[in-house]
């Protein structure tokens, strides 16, 4: 799937045509009944909200609905030209797709290091680079959640004024760690997530606090993840420390001991090849696949050429267009890894359940113009740009491959972003058409709006307006470069809107794939 060049002429009429073969067009603004659409030679037969679809010709019952020349469903009945096309007349059903592993793969020409763009980052002793400098407090189990947050609270309200080079002390708790399987993938996944956060380069130092009798035992976590205690990693077990109050006192004292060295960290100029960006979208609309998602994808193409890493995720939200990614895989093995994850979701994890991968999208997505998961996936996949798919990772696995990669996660944004950050992401880029409010400490999150009205309404939460593409005031290359330069500035310390609002303390949500007992 190639990027779409949205030039000004495309944006001047009442509708947007995305591909010559499409049998639907997208309403650029609200279209009333009887409105002539000269570019298509049709007249609207329905009241169509902006971002929603209109039949560009007669579509026979059972015929594929084509958007970007990709099937997003099938006509449930004959659909006359000019008719509103949405879930009421689009049926969702499985269809055959040719995975054509690696058929369209083209190696990306990476710029020489001396030509790569740079940012100001924190270089850690192991060579990884952070975009922020936090101290983190992690919990092994929900039973230590209150202690974790009270320790972090002790360093708010001006307590860090003497430490100008520390972004904060953040407490990250969760609802797992006990009442779950003691071995196997659910426990391994939780420990992988905690270990990944402990190693994330945006943390200068980390404390891990447990209760003592939980199934996620501290020693088991340390052993699985190869974590070593020392000046930058303290562990506390409440039942051994003497209870709640004494654990809080000991942990606060430990953080105070960490502060002076953490405050010595300084930013230095490094290549953007050190950026690992988690790609998210939420609260999507009919413009997501036209503005913000392809705009972000084009920015990721720039990042990849400069040696950086783009992490696409949300497995249910590539379902239906996964063949557009396998065709770009660098090898058959990589492509088959992606399909194995899709099959696990469809055949083992979600059969018979009313979840997104089985058809229906969220109410907000539906109101925004998306008929089903195929249409949602069409836009979601565009965030990854057009370069080769270099690797596929399981949830929270360490991302070591540069370039465009995929991580298996749910579509639920906090869970998905948690996996990406555990994998090493040091920034999140998040597109939205309805207006998702999101942050994810310890990494900055950049919010990209799909349309100007929403951007203006929620300007305190949105960092960049991709709606300028619809307005005809900027081209796709200009938007892509604008996003790329914003990424560099935020990576260098400029605060994103979500950071200014203080978001991110409660968005640490490890994926629970097991049985609660």
């Amino acid at each position: 799937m190639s990027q779409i060049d949205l030039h000004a002429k495309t944006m001047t009429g009442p509708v947007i045509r995305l591909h010559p073969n499409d049998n639907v067009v997208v309403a650029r603004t609200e279209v009333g009944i009887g409105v002539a659409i000269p570019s298509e030679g049709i007249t609207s037969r329905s009241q169509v909200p902006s971002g929603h679809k209109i039949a560009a010709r007669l579509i026979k019952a059972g015929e594929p609905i084509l958007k970007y020349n990709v099937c997003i469903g099938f006509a449930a009945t004959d659909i006359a030209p000019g008719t509103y096309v949405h879930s009421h007349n689009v049926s969702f059903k499985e269809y055959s797709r040719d995975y054509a592993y690696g058929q369209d793969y083209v190696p990306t020409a990476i710029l020489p290091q001396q030509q790569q763009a740079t940012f100001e980052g924190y270089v850690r002793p192991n060579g990884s680079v952070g975009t922020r400098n936090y101290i983190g407090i992690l919990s092994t189990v929900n039973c230590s959640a209150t202690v974790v947050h009270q320790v972090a609270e002790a360093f708010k309200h001006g307590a860090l004024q003497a430490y100008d080079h520390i972004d904060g002390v953040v407490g990250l708790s969760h609802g797992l760690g006990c009442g779950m399987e003691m071995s196997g993938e659910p426990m391994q996944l939780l420990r992988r997530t905690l270990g990944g956060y402990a190693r994330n380069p945006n943390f200068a130092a980390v404390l891990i606090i447990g209760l003592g009798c939980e199934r996620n035992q501290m020693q088991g976590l340390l052993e699985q993840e190869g974590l070593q205690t020392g000046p930058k990693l303290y562990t506390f077990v409440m039942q051994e420390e003497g209870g709640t109050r004494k654990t809080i006192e000991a942990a606060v004292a430990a953080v105070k001991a960490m502060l002076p060295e953490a405050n010595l960290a300084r930013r230095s100029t490094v290549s953007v090849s050190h950026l690992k960006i988690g790609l998210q979208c939420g609260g999507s609309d009919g413009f997501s696949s036209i503005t913000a998602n392809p705009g972000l994808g084009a920015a990721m193409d720039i990042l990849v050429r400069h040696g950086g890493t783009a992490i696409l995720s949300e497995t249910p939200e590539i379902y239906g267009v996964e063949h557009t990614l396998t065709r770009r895989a660098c090898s058959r093995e990589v492509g088959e890894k992606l399909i194995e994850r899709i099959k696990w979701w469809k055949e083992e994890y979600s059969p018979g359940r009313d979840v997104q991968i089985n058809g229906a999208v969220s109410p907000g997505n539906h109101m925004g113009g998306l008929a089903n998961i195929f249409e949602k996936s069409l836009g979601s996949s565009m965030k990854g740009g057009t370069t080769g798919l270099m690797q596929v990772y399981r949830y929270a696995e360490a991302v070591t491959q540069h370039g465009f990669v995929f991580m298996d996660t749910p579509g639920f944004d906090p869970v998905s972003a948690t996996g990406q950050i555990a994998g090493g992401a040091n920034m999140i880029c998040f597109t939205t058409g309805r207006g998702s409010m999101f942050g994810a400490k310890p990494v900055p999150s950049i919010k990209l709006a799909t349309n100007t009205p929403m951007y203006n309404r929620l300007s305190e939460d949105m960092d960049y307006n991709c709606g300028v593409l619809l307005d005809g005031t900027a081209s796709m290359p200009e938007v892509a470069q604008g996003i790329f330069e914003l990424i560099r500035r935020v990576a260098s310390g400029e605060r994103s809107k979500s950071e200014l609002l203080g978001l991110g303390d409660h968005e640490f949500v490890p994926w629970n794939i097991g049985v609660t007992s």
Side-chain angles (χ1 to χ4, degrees), residues 312-487:
L312 183 66
S313 297
E314 303 174 300
T315 308
E317 297 180 8
I318 64 159
Y319 174 61
V321 298
E322 68 274 12
H323 57 294
T324 67
L325 299 178
T326 57
R327 298 173 73 93
R328 293 159 48 192
C330 65
S331 68
R332 184 180 186 90
E333 178 187 14
V334 168
E336 287 179 341
K337 278 186 178 182
L338 183 64
I339 299 309
E340 186 274 329
R341 291 287 81 201
I342 292 280
K343 287 182 176 178
W344 178 82
W345 274 85
K346 289 294 293 179
E347 297 173 7
E348 297 183 41
Y349 191 55
S350 66
R353 298 182 182 274
D354 185 17
V355 291
Q356 192 162 247
I357 198 169
N358 293 332
V361 293
S362 70
N365 291 165
H366 187 265
M367 289 185 286
L370 304 179
N372 54 44
I373 190 55
F374 288 166
E375 188 173 9
K376 165 80 169 175
S377 295
L378 175 63
S380 297
S381 65
M382 291 181 176
K383 301 191 300 295
T386 63
T387 62
L389 176 63
M390 304 307 296
Q391 190 54 272
V392 173
Y393 295 92
R394 287 179 177 259
Y395 186 87
E397 283 186 333
V399 174
T400 58
Q401 173 66 54
H402 288 250
F404 169 53
V405 303
F406 187 86
M407 177 180 285
D408 178 30
T409 77
F412 183 39
D413 307 312
V415 178
S416 182
T418 294
Q420 293 173 332
I421 296 167
N426 48 17
M427 181 180 292
I428 299 293
C429 285
F430 194 126
T431 66
T432 182
R434 305 287 294 177
S436 292
M437 319 302 173
F438 183 80
K441 291 177 181 177
V443 309
S445 297
I446 294 174
K447 302 303 295 296
L448 308 171
T450 71
N451 63 88
T452 298
M454 187 274 286
Y455 174 81
N456 290 337
R457 187 172 66 253
L458 302 175
S459 59
E460 288 187 351
D461 288 271
M462 299 296 119
D463 293 280
Y464 192 91
N465 179 24
C466 298
V468 292
L469 289 163
L470 291 175
D471 303 336
T473 57
S475 67
M476 184 63 77
E478 289 171 334
V479 166
Q481 191 64 39
I483 295 171
F484 181 66
E485 295 304 327
L486 175 61
I487 287 170

Side-chain angles (χ1 to χ4, degrees), residues 196-385:
Y197 265 70
R199 288 185 292 268
N200 190 283
N202 281 20
F203 281 132
V206 170
L207 279 69
I208 306 176
I209 302 176
L211 175 63
C213 56
E214 65 268 29
R215 293 187 175 185
N216 182 25
Q217 285 287 295
M218 183 75 72
Q219 190 60 35
L221 167 63
L222 298 179
E223 289 176 356
Q224 177 184 304
E225 292 304 305
L227 299 173
Q228 298 290 329
T229 58
K232 295 184 179 181
L233 177 61
Y234 283 77
T235 61
F236 296 91
V237 176
M238 294 168 62
Q239 291 170 352
E240 296 175 4
E241 291 293 330
T244 299
R245 182 182 57 81
K246 289 183 178 180
T247 304
I248 293 171
E249 290 175 351
V252 167
V255 173
K256 288 180 178 179
M258 292 173 162
L259 290 174
E261 184 172 351
N263 196 55
L264 294 176
R266 296 292 185 273
R267 293 183 181 273
S268 59
T269 303
V270 294
S271 165
V272 297
S273 63
H274 293 285
L275 287 179
K276 296 180 180 180
I277 298 183
L279 309 176
Q280 292 290 320
C281 61
S284 300
D285 68 357
F287 296 129
S288 294
S289 66
I290 300 174
T291 61
N293 286 354
L296 178 55
M300 292 302 97
D301 285 349
I302 298 173
L303 178 71
V304 168
R305 288 198 299 274
H306 286 260
T309 303
I311 309 170
L312 183 66
S313 297
E314 303 174 300
T315 308
E317 297 180 8
I318 64 159
Y319 174 61
V321 298
E322 68 274 12
H323 57 294
T324 67
L325 299 178
T326 57
R327 298 173 73 93
R328 293 159 48 192
C330 65
S331 68
R332 184 180 186 90
E333 178 187 14
V334 168
E336 287 179 341
K337 278 186 178 182
L338 183 64
I339 299 309
E340 186 274 329
R341 291 287 81 201
I342 292 280
K343 287 182 176 178
W344 178 82
W345 274 85
K346 289 294 293 179
E347 297 173 7
E348 297 183 41
Y349 191 55
S350 66
R353 298 182 182 274
D354 185 17
V355 291
Q356 192 162 247
I357 198 169
N358 293 332
V361 293
S362 70
N365 291 165
H366 187 265
M367 289 185 286
L370 304 179
N372 54 44
I373 190 55
F374 288 166
E375 188 173 9
K376 165 80 169 175
S377 295
L378 175 63
S380 297
S381 65
M382 291 181 176
K383 301 191 300 295

Side-chain angles (χ1 to χ4, degrees), residues 481-502:
Q481 191 64 39
I483 295 171
F484 181 66
E485 295 304 327
L486 175 61
I487 287 170
R488 291 178 61 201
R489 295 197 306 273
V490 171
S492 298
E494 180 179 310
R495 297 293 172 181
S496 69
K497 295 293 183 68
S498 66
E499 289 181 293
L500 293 173
L501 290 166

